[in-house]
Amino acid sequence: EADIYQTPRYLVIGTGKKITLECSQTMGHDKMYWYQQDPGMELHLIHYSYGVNSTEKGDLSSESTVSRIRTEHFPLTLESARPSHTSQYLCASGRAGGDGTQYFGPGTRLLVL
Amino acid sequence: SQQGEEDPQALSIQEGENATMNCSYKTSINNLQWYRQNSGRGLVHLILIRSNEREKHSGRLRVTLDTSKKSSSLLITASRAADTASYFCATDEGSGYSTLTFGKGTMLLVSP
């Protein structure tokens, strides 16, 4: 099991609320990623980071934002949740200079009512 | 954009049988990786094959890569009920950004 953690595991929230999904890793990895995955579907990269103070948008347009103030922490924020944000969000990390292998957290299932 | 496409979308077999899943991709790659995802969980890295390799083994897993056909296959031998999961291929295009592009996955059901 990889040492990467996500909280909360499940979240049910009303439309318009601000939410932050937490992701932390204890492996000292420089690279971190956020993916969105609908049930039974492929993963879509929404944000990634190469290190502290580095953030990039992924392939899938997202209304979320991320920050990387500490190496081990990569939170994702939705300023105003909508039902279209209902999905599973997966966080992953990887070594700089590695072979590209990513280590995933258990995911956060988000339901916006 | 979609890079990896797995085939079949779903596969149902009995314990002890072999399971083969295929992945096709569109662009040149640095390496191709296979991941497993148990229901509602994160992904677990299984095996990586580099673009200059043709075959790789890890326990009951065998991966092949044909860069001329832009395809890969994952073989799980002597399957077990615990192998029930979704399996995804992911390609690293070696662009320097170290992002992976995932396929839609194959759902494998292994019945006792």
Side-chain angles (χ1 to χ4, degrees):
Chain A
E1 291 288 326
D3 296 321
I4 179 164
Y5 310 98
Q6 291 186 244
T7 58
R9 292 293 314 280
Y10 304 92
L11 180 62
V12 181
I13 202 162
T15 296
K17 299 292 187 182
K18 177 179 179 179
I19 60 171
T20 296
L21 306 184
E22 302 287 351
C23 176
S24 295
Q25 49 94 8
T26 59
M27 297 173 282
H29 287 166
D30 286 316
K31 296 177 179 174
M32 295 190 75
Y33 310 84
W34 275 105
Y35 294 90
Q36 185 174 342
Q37 183 188 31
D38 291 327
M41 301 298 287
E42 69 265 46
L43 282 71
H44 292 286
L45 180 67
I46 50 175
H47 295 284
Y48 59 101
S49 167
Y50 291 127
V52 171
N53 294 326
S54 149
T55 61
E56 303 286 343
K57 288 186 180 294
D59 301 325
L60 182 67
S61 174
S62 172
E63 294 160 349
S64 59
T65 58
V66 292
S67 63
R68 191 88 183 276
I69 298 172
R70 302 198 319 262
T71 297
E72 62 271 24
H73 196 214
F74 191 41
L76 181 144
T77 298
L78 279 165
E79 290 293 332
S80 179
R82 295 210 299 266
S84 60
H85 295 138
T86 294
S87 190
Q88 174 161 255
Y89 293 84
L90 294 167
C91 180
S93 70
R95 284 190 303 112
D99 58 11
T101 297
Q102 294 184 12
Y103 301 86
F104 282 80
T108 293
R109 284 189 178 271
L110 173 65
L111 173 60
V112 183
L113 302 175
Chain B
S1 61
Q2 184 63 39
Q3 169 75 315
E5 293 278 349
E6 283 92 339
D7 166 52
Q9 289 186 321
L11 181 60
S12 181
I13 59 175
Q14 300 289 121
E15 266 191 329
E17 294 180 340
N18 295 341
T20 299
M21 288 157 267
N22 302 297
C23 169
S24 60
Y25 57 92
K26 297 175 184 174
T27 66
S28 60
I29 60 171
N30 193 38
N31 65 59
L32 185 144
Q33 305 178 30
W34 285 91
Y35 288 79
R36 184 188 75 230
Q37 183 180 36
N38 289 91
S39 180
R41 304 285 297 181
L43 278 72
V44 175
H45 180 259
L46 294 176
I47 193 166
L48 178 151
I49 187 164
R50 300 185 192 284
S51 60
N52 61 353
E53 297 176 310
R54 292 297 167 259
E55 187 171 314
K56 203 162 184 180
H57 296 255
S58 177
R60 293 184 295 115
L61 305 180
R62 173 178 169 254
V63 171
T64 63
L65 179 65
D66 187 336
T67 52
S68 66
K69 295 181 180 178
K70 291 187 169 56
S71 67
S72 173
S73 68
L74 171 68
L75 169 67
I76 303 174
T77 60
S79 63
R80 306 166 182 167
D83 294 329
T84 294
S86 291
Y87 292 81
F88 293 87
C89 69
T91 50
D92 177 354
E93 296 171 31
S95 63
Y97 296 104
S98 291
T99 61
L100 296 177
T101 303
F102 286 83
K104 292 184 178 180
T106 293
M107 291 181 59
L108 174 64
L109 173 63
V110 182
S111 301

